[in-house]
Amino acid sequence: MALRLLLALSLLHGVLALWPIPASLSTGTTPLVLSADFCIDVNINGAPEDLNDAVGQAEYYLANDKLGRLVVGRGANDSAALANAKTLPSLQLTLASGATVDSISSESVKPLGTRSEEYVLTIPADGSPATLTANSTLGLYRGLTTFGQLWYYYGDKTYTLEAPVAITDAPAYPYRGFGLDTARNFFPVADLLRTLDAMSWVKINTFHWHITDSQSFPLEVAQYPELAANGAYSADEIYSASDVQNVVQYAAARGIDVLLEIDTPGHTAIIGTTYPDYVACFDASPWATYANEPPAGQLRFALPEVVNFTTSLLSDIASTLPSSYFSTGGDELNTNCYVNDTLTQQQLNSTNTTLAQALATFTNSTHGALIAQGKTPVVWEEMVLEWNLTLSKETIVMVWISSEDAAAVAELGYRIVQAPSNYFYLDCGAGEWIGDDPTGNSWCDPFKTWSESYTFDPLANLTESQYSLVLGGEQILWAEQSGPQNLDSIVWPRAASSAEIFWSAKQPTGAPLNVTEALPRLQDVRYRMVQRGLNAIQLQPQWCALRPYMCDLYA
């Protein structure tokens, strides 16, 4: 009750709608209104084009968000306080002395740990200009995002009640991702771009694009055009080379790196429509004997020609991308498929090789080609926990089966991206999608609410010496039951949960993150998203959104 009273008192002047919450934050109680001719000035010689574009974007949001405060009356009671308020004439952007002037896009794809996302934002209460300073244009972009969340609208005025504002901010973790599967169902480029916008609003910096799977191969590859021609659902459901570059460039200008995944050697049945000799148990029945989901089919990775093909395929795709990272997948390999595959068994027997040894040869080849390009490979956890492959210690391992598995990966010395299904899978809880199973549930029930995801501890069960292995984490939407029609609502605002976990890690006071404090801020984020055209799902009845904490369990 005492905590709730303190939180309620902090809301007398409204919810401070910052998400993710900054590392250091102080606010006042003075009303401040944006001037009618408010502008953002870029005081940087040779400012890159994408920074100027970002400023234009920020000014557009300030003019068009028109978000009423989430209180009863939506700001009607603020009129008296605003009548004689000072006005803010401008926001002045500068880089710190000695900082290199690079584009946001180039900063966004630098290796993890070398990107500069920190910034300092100051908004005086006396009507003098606000200032935003950073060590890079990427840091300025993050600060612009924060600045845009501070303002409400009522009666033709865009205002805050909390000047002066002083923020010093930097991310707790370098990797903050969102993963999307575009192979089970196709998502047009416009939907991907809208999602990238939303990601940028909460400082997510990695788009993990699971672009192919057993069901479809929608990616156009210049050297292997038949893969998409035979593997896409239709000619209209293909990502052309220019589509991919459009997504990559759009993302980079918004502070987002694109991590492409071509899952191998499992999840590759669709390749059999073009190269039937390269795929074992292709369309085998019953599918459940040979695969985790239909259709069955996995690359015959023991065959030298398949090793060469896959190495060439991944290398060709990776060479077109600016990211330092590329995922080769590696999850859910079905051994029955290979035990019953004549060609695989002949190859293993003739070379006196085990399946695990053949997988090591396959992976060393694909990873070697990526490393030769300067790329860091990313894999799913089974590669090191089930198959015990010895990979470069630069390899990044995504933990997905359970949050409990992170400790075992860390024990092996690999860097970790936390994506545990028991916290972060956005598709869970939608019921069974397999036919002829009317009482079935999704394999990862129950539905993962924003608040359950928000309780995730990235460092749980790790020793202090292993903490640095955790690069960050991501929430993921697997698209067996999703498409462009429900993309916004199934992802947002839930995916903002991990965004704050991995940017903020704790409250500015040093206290742990907690769902009671967070909910009113997430409400603001969700309502602002809607104002910007995103169909983010409601978190509660609006009655609750306008009365923070009154719908808590023990209120």
Side-chain angles (χ1 to χ4, degrees):
M1 179 61 75
L3 172 62
R4 187 170 291 108
L5 178 59
L6 286 172
L7 291 170
L9 288 172
S10 73
L11 289 170
L12 288 176
H13 291 282
V15 175
L16 187 62
L18 296 181
W19 193 287
I21 196 74
S24 173
L25 168 68
S26 68
T27 61
T29 58
T30 302
L32 185 67
V33 177
L34 284 189
S35 169
D37 55 358
F38 173 86
C39 63
I40 300 176
D41 293 327
V42 180
N43 301 301
I44 300 168
N45 290 329
E49 183 179 357
D50 59 9
L51 177 59
N52 291 324
D53 291 343
V55 166
Q57 179 189 68
E59 290 176 336
Y60 177 84
Y61 290 148
L62 287 168
N64 292 281
D65 278 358
K66 294 185 176 4
L67 176 65
R69 268 203 318 130
L70 293 186
V71 293
V72 177
R74 301 304 300 272
N77 295 328
D78 298 337
S79 296
L82 299 176
N84 298 308
K86 300 279 190 181
T87 60
L88 183 69
S90 65
L91 172 64
Q92 301 294 317
L93 269 57
T94 58
L95 287 177
S97 177
T100 302
V101 182
D102 288 324
S103 66
I104 297 170
S105 298
S106 63
E107 296 281 354
S108 300
V109 299
K110 287 183 177 179
L112 294 170
T114 68
R115 300 174 199 167
S116 173
E117 299 185 89
E118 65 275 10
Y119 65 92
V120 176
L121 174 64
T122 303
I123 305 174
D126 62 3
S128 56
T131 60
L132 173 60
T133 304
N135 294 313
S136 73
T137 55
L138 179 58
L140 292 176
Y141 186 76
R142 301 298 182 217
L144 285 171
T145 301
T146 299
F147 184 81
Q149 292 179 334
L150 287 163
W151 306 94
Y152 296 105
Y153 181 85
Y154 187 83
D156 292 329
K157 291 183 178 178
T158 300
Y159 66 95
T160 180
L161 298 177
E162 297 172 305
V165 178
I167 293 172
T168 301
D169 201 10
Y173 294 89
Y175 184 109
R176 306 173 307 280
F178 167 67
L180 180 63
D181 155 30
T182 63
R184 271 51 177 254
N185 285 299
F186 183 83
F187 294 80
V189 169
D191 295 287
L192 304 185
L193 301 185
R194 188 177 67 257
T195 300
L196 291 167
D197 280 333
M199 292 164 61
S200 75
W201 300 337
V202 291
K203 301 184 176 68
I204 292 175
N205 72 348
T206 305
F207 176 41
H208 172 196
W209 192 356
H210 183 93
I211 197 168
T212 64
D213 212 289
S214 278
Q215 292 83 0
S216 78
F217 198 106
L219 174 63
E220 179 184 86
V221 183
Q223 294 84 347
Y224 300 95
E226 299 88 354
L227 287 173
N230 298 329
Y233 288 128
S234 74
D236 294 327
E237 294 169 293
I238 291 175
Y239 299 110
S240 68
S242 61
D243 287 335
V244 173
Q245 291 307 312
N246 182 16
V247 170
V248 168
Q249 292 165 12
Y250 194 92
R254 285 153 183 78
I256 299 168
D257 190 16
V258 176
L259 167 64
L260 202 72
E261 179 187 354
I262 305 294
D263 203 350
T264 60
H267 292 271
T268 48
I270 197 66
I271 292 176
T273 60
T274 300
Y275 300 101
D277 292 343
Y278 290 180
V279 175
C281 54
F282 179 48
D283 271 348
S285 180
W287 62 263
T289 302
Y290 304 104
N292 278 41
E293 63 180 49
Q298 302 177 151
L299 287 173
R300 288 185 167 116
F301 60 80
L303 275 59
E305 59 268 34
V306 175
V307 174
N308 294 336
F309 159 76
T310 310
T311 300
S312 173
L313 174 66
L314 300 190
S315 181
D316 288 342
I317 296 170
S319 68
T320 67
L321 303 168
S323 179
S324 297
Y325 306 94
F326 190 92
S327 175
T328 62
D331 62 319
E332 296 184 329
L333 267 181
N334 184 294
T335 54
N336 284 334
C337 176
Y338 297 117
V339 168
N340 292 284
D341 182 56
T342 301
L343 289 179
T344 295
Q345 291 305 313
Q346 286 177 346
Q347 178 67 24
L348 295 177
N349 292 334
S350 67
T351 57
N352 193 28
T353 303
T354 66
L355 193 64
Q357 289 170 335
L359 181 61
T361 299
F362 172 88
T363 306
N364 287 337
S365 178
T366 57
H367 283 198
L370 293 171
I371 292 169
Q373 289 186 19
K375 309 289 186 184
T376 297
V378 181
V379 297
W380 295 110
E381 63 176 82
E382 292 99 313
M383 290 288 95
V384 297
L385 295 187
E386 291 186 17
W387 292 95
N388 301 312
L389 297 189
T390 300
L391 306 176
S392 162
K393 286 301 190 242
E394 290 299 303
T395 305
I396 296 171
V397 177
M398 285 193 165
V399 172
W400 73 274
I401 295 174
S402 169
S403 56
E404 300 296 321
D405 295 342
V409 175
E411 190 67 28
L412 295 171
Y414 292 103
R415 296 183 296 169
I416 296 169
V417 167
Q418 298 274 23
S421 57
N422 53 323
Y423 283 92
F424 285 168
Y425 273 24
L426 297 169
D427 52 301
C428 299
E432 180 61 272
W433 61 270
I434 296 294
D436 196 25
D437 188 14
T439 62
N441 293 311
S442 66
W443 73 271
C444 54
D445 269 8
F447 182 86
K448 305 299 183 278
T449 64
W450 79 268
S451 52
E452 181 178 7
S453 299
Y454 194 75
T455 64
F456 177 69
D457 178 1
L459 305 178
N461 304 315
L462 301 180
T463 65
E464 190 170 347
S465 64
Q466 295 170 337
Y467 288 174
S468 63
L469 294 173
V470 179
L471 296 175
E474 67 180 35
Q475 286 167 274
I476 304 179
L477 177 63
W478 300 106
E480 285 90 347
Q481 293 176 286
S482 292
Q485 296 80 8
N486 73 327
L487 175 61
D488 291 2
S489 60
I490 199 168
V491 173
W492 304 108
R494 284 193 296 158
S497 294
S498 60
E500 180 152 289
I501 291 171
F502 295 109
W503 178 280
S504 307
K506 60 183 183 297
Q507 295 184 58
T509 61
L513 300 176
N514 75 81
V515 295
T516 304
E517 183 280 332
L519 177 55
R521 290 188 294 108
L522 189 59
Q523 292 277 24
D524 259 58
V525 171
R526 182 260 162 190
Y527 275 77
R528 193 175 295 276
M529 285 179 165
V530 171
Q531 292 297 105
R532 294 180 181 181
L534 198 76
N535 291 317
I537 200 169
Q538 288 86 347
L539 293 170
Q540 293 178 312
Q542 186 162 310
W543 189 94
C544 303
L546 302 182
R547 297 164 176 83
Y549 313 116
M550 291 186 67
C551 293
D552 287 2
L553 182 60
Y554 298 108

